[in-house]
Amino acid sequence: MSRTGHGAALVLIGTFPMPPKTRFARHTHAVHQLAWASSGTLTVEADARTWVLPPTRALWIPAGTPHAVLSLSRTTMTSLYLAELPETVPGRWAEPRPVEVTRLLAELIRYLDDPDLDAGRRARGEATLLDLLRPVEVTTLDTPMPADPRAREVARALLADPACALSLDAWGRRVGASGRTLARLFLAGSGMPFGRWRTLVRLNAALPALAEGQPLSRVARAVGYERVSAFVAAFRRETGVTPGAYFRTSRV
């Protein structure tokens, strides 16, 4: 970790190169963390939820929250450590929250990672950074795992092979439950119907390849879509933007 600033610094920044399939096992921090993939794609597991984060998104992780971090492709994780909560929308910082990383915020993080900044410039930069941290509602593709062992077996199989097109009835024959029972278990355990859960798994699986700039047609087929238009429509429905816009940092 590169410690920025002096003893009074509010923000400490650590940069961690992560080769493909690197995993930081479940751990906690005594301070708040903002986990950001400054390049590549980061997967963060916390509070029984999973977030897949391109460079346009970061995850706010409150102090004391157990979490694990995974890189499926070559990634650079840049982590910000803050002892204090941001003042903006304070009631919503008590649990993990996705944050939009605008172009201004990304450049400001790089600016603060300069050990030669004097105290005045650092203080002004940190104040601006805290003001720019805004939680966003629909930006990541959360796929909570169902609790029932039969549904979890199906979920794990789909996480391993997102393109699998087996119906719930076919899965039921494999795990010893009817398709109707599995549908109920997925809805109760994940808070969403099975069809949407599988869609989110497919979109999550597509993110690392999209971050690498692979062609849409190849990515869509790899995660189970025969038509690019169907993949783009599903992506837009879940994120509100196209795949290209999802990876394009906003101008500020």
Side-chain angles (χ1 to χ4, degrees):
M1 180 187 300
S2 61
R3 187 178 178 88
T4 64
H6 310 287
L10 294 176
V11 180
L12 303 180
I13 299 176
T15 301
F16 307 92
M18 300 177 68
K21 298 186 179 179
T22 299
R23 182 180 179 86
F24 296 152
R26 203 166 182 82
H27 61 285
T28 62
H29 298 290
V31 294
H32 309 296
Q33 178 185 10
L34 187 71
W36 174 46
S38 48
S39 67
T41 306
L42 206 59
T43 300
V44 181
E45 302 166 359
D47 278 2
R49 304 169 70 186
T50 301
W51 290 266
V52 180
L53 306 163
T56 53
R57 302 291 182 263
L59 187 69
W60 173 264
I61 306 171
T65 302
H67 61 282
V69 181
L70 170 69
S71 63
L72 297 179
S73 58
R74 185 174 300 279
T75 298
T76 300
M77 180 174 73
T78 298
S79 283
L80 282 66
Y81 301 95
L82 304 90
E84 299 178 10
L85 285 169
E87 293 182 0
T88 54
V89 205
R92 299 172 63 189
W93 295 107
E95 60 185 29
R97 287 282 184 178
V99 172
E100 182 181 14
V101 180
T102 63
R103 185 169 300 176
L104 176 58
L105 180 56
E107 290 303 322
L108 189 54
I109 292 170
R110 296 184 180 102
Y111 175 76
L112 288 173
D113 200 22
D114 178 359
D116 296 325
L117 278 182
D118 62 52
R121 290 178 179 174
R122 181 168 305 283
R124 290 190 293 272
E126 289 173 339
T128 303
L129 182 141
L130 292 176
D131 189 53
L132 290 174
L133 293 185
R134 300 284 183 176
V136 288
E137 289 297 336
V138 183
T139 54
T140 53
L141 305 168
D142 187 18
T143 52
M145 290 289 283
D148 183 89
R150 294 163 295 179
R152 286 184 78 87
E153 183 177 343
V154 175
R156 290 193 180 105
L158 288 171
L159 288 169
D161 181 15
C164 180
L166 284 178
S167 67
L168 269 182
D169 287 336
W171 280 117
R173 289 190 289 273
R174 292 190 176 196
V175 301
S178 68
R180 181 176 297 180
T181 296
L182 281 179
R184 176 176 54 79
L185 292 173
F186 263 91
L187 183 60
S190 70
M192 66 185 77
F194 170 77
R196 182 168 181 241
W197 190 91
R198 180 165 58 183
T199 294
L200 295 182
V201 166
R202 289 176 170 180
L203 298 183
N204 271 326
L207 288 179
L210 291 172
E212 292 173 359
Q214 294 186 24
L216 268 179
S217 56
R218 182 191 304 170
V219 176
R221 286 195 301 271
V223 297
Y225 288 89
E226 294 182 2
R227 294 180 293 111
V228 172
S229 59
F231 172 75
V232 172
F235 200 100
R236 185 192 292 272
R237 184 171 62 248
E238 295 299 337
T239 67
V241 296
T242 64
Y246 192 77
F247 285 88
R248 188 164 55 244
T249 305
S250 302
R251 293 182 179 272
V252 175

